[in-house]
Amino acid sequence: MSIENLKCKECGSTYELGASYFCENCFGPLEVNYDFSGLDPHEVKRQIQAGSQGIWRYSDFLPFEGRPGDPLEPGLTPLLRADRLAERLGIEAELWLKNDAANPTHSFKDRVVAVAVAKAQELGFDTVACASTGNLANAVAAHAAAAGLASYVFVPANLEEQKLLATGVYGTNLVGVRGNYDDVNRLCTQLAETRPWAFVNVNLRPYYAEGSKTLAYETAEQLGWELPDRVVCPIASGSLFTKLGRGFQEWLDLGLVSGKQPVFNGAQAEGCSPVATAFAEGWDVCKPQKPETIAKSLAIGDPADGPYAVEQARSSGGGIDAVTDQEIREGIKLLAETTGIFTETAGGVTVGVLKKLAERGELAADERVVVYLTGEGLKTLDATRDTFQMHEIDPNLDSFEAEFRREVSV
Ligand SMILES: Cc1ncc(COP(=O)(O)O)c(C=O)c1O
Ligand SMILES: [Zn+2]
């Protein structure tokens, strides 16, 4: 494998492998272009299986000249059967959950950040930075600390307290911007022009985005080198959603897996649903929105990869749905009660959409469905407040019996 250049997704212009992210001819986004010709699928599979227990086992498909390293290597998170959840949803489909909260900073963002930070080092940067809705901030602060780099992370100032605490602890420069994510992103785009920093999701975005492909590879490997029939995945900028598709396609093209692309179902919160709206209206582009939802991690009103996500959902025969804040809370609860997994609001969005698909009868009995749970419930604790009651009692048996009104049989 060789990494060739950066290529414009719109007009195909190519650029050398530096810290650039948009096409000078048409302003389209740049993507890493590889040459996979000559790779022997049997040899690639053997090397993957002999590789590390994390994302670097897929280095052949990642954008590095040399071998990447990372003391906080993410990946190989559990893929679990969820029969009890399937039963509660009344579906016969084979249901799997990819629990990506089981990463070093408890979200899938460890994957993209590990790749971006390793690339920043390869390109000679000594400072990394990001515009974040929360999870990216956690991951950049942690991976920068692990690599011994300075870091600046920019977030909306009104973020969940847990996400701020879980960022500041790493000794980063945490900057709370009085505005929403799209304001933060605009500021970071300006800063990327003036500071010699690697903004992982701005000027390093083509490399950063490649990290999400590892979720596709892992899923295929954990399913015994097969692809799912359908995936359900949250959408903020649309990067994860589209890179899952790219990861599956690369392995199909190489013959590492057979069959065809899964059906893609995207999940958004109603309070920030530019991509779901574009899908529903039949538009090719997204109309920016002002976010107002408890799913802050998905609150991107002007999603960079929105049009590509719409196209992927459409061409795969899938869709993009949105759920209310109440449905998000119920999704978190349903998942926790049936699987023992406590997911964050983004996971509530995803489970909420899964429930909608089940109710509409869109999940066939012979399907294998993989649901991507991308973050940890402990980071968005407010979403579970007032969804249950604690039994408070005095420290004696009478008080317990009175509370539960049960017969004692001794
Ligand atoms: C937990 C979680 N899931 C999913 C996403 C969606 O990521 P993307 O911007 O790649 O669509 C995010 C983005 O911040 C996130 O924090
Ligand atoms: Zn172009």
Side-chain angles (χ1 to χ4, degrees), residues 395-410:
N396 60 60
L397 286 175
D398 285 350
S399 184
F400 174 80
E401 299 305 342
E403 176 72 14
F404 285 88
R405 292 188 183 82
R406 285 202 318 212
E407 293 288 322
V408 192
S409 55
V410 183

Side-chain angles (χ1 to χ4, degrees), residues 210-232:
E210 289 290 287
S212 285
K213 294 190 310 185
T214 62
L215 255 176
Y217 305 146
E218 274 182 36
T219 305
E221 202 186 342
Q222 289 171 318
L223 289 175
W225 302 88
E226 287 182 12
L227 299 187
D229 299 307
R230 181 188 299 272
V231 297
V232 186

